Amino acid sequence: MTEPLTVGGQVVALQETVNSGRVSLDPATGEEMRRMLLEQMDQVDSWLERAGRLARPAPLGANPVGDRMAHKFETRADGDPRSFVAVMTAYREVLQQTHDSVQSAIRNFTAVDEEHGGELTRLSGN
């Protein structure tokens, strides 16, 4: 299991809650959520791919001010913990963890449903 991410200083514990079996999700609803999460991950991947083109020195001239501004823009794109790439990468990780949690919650629902179906079959004597 990956290290839990924090949002606003709070540990995101969705995966742990799902793994405990306390959360289950109807497969139809879960699949819709998974589809939306996958679409968002694809969008973030596209942004990250394009951001790589921004993380290079801007052609602002060979002078001290141009050099400093080029470096500033380059680190805003990538290379700083608050850069676009760093923030989007963290967001992508949260999306992936949420996707995995939804998948586990669907499995929980299916397992409980099968367990209850087996119990009903046993009780009905069939």
Side-chain angles (χ1 to χ4, degrees):
M1 185 169 128
T2 61
E3 194 66 28
L5 295 174
T6 62
V7 176
Q10 298 295 315
V11 174
V12 178
L14 178 60
Q15 186 67 45
E16 293 171 13
T17 305
V18 170
N19 287 343
S20 73
R22 295 186 311 232
V23 175
S24 64
L25 192 58
D26 172 76
T29 303
E31 288 303 321
E32 180 66 20
M33 288 178 68
R34 283 182 65 253
R35 184 188 61 74
M36 290 186 304
L37 289 163
L38 287 171
E39 286 175 9
Q40 188 63 42
M41 285 188 287
D42 288 344
Q43 182 65 54
V44 171
D45 290 342
S46 173
W47 292 336
L48 287 169
E49 181 182 319
R50 287 185 280 164
R53 294 189 296 259
L54 295 173
R56 60 182 177 186
L60 298 174
N63 59 67
V65 173
D67 291 343
R68 281 191 299 249
M69 292 302 292
H71 178 72
K72 179 180 178 180
F73 292 140
E74 183 179 2
T75 56
R76 284 196 176 161
D78 194 7
D80 181 85
R82 297 169 301 184
S83 71
F84 179 80
V85 170
V87 170
M88 285 295 107
T89 300
Y91 177 56
R92 173 67 165 77
E93 290 173 14
V94 170
L95 289 171
Q96 183 66 55
Q97 287 181 349
T98 304
H99 175 272
D100 296 346
S101 294
V102 167
Q103 185 72 19
S104 295
I106 292 169
R107 280 194 300 273
N108 288 349
F109 182 93
T110 304
V112 168
D113 192 46
E114 289 172 357
E115 181 182 318
H116 289 167
E119 186 66 20
L120 285 174
T121 300
R122 186 184 67 74
L123 292 173
S124 68
N126 292 330

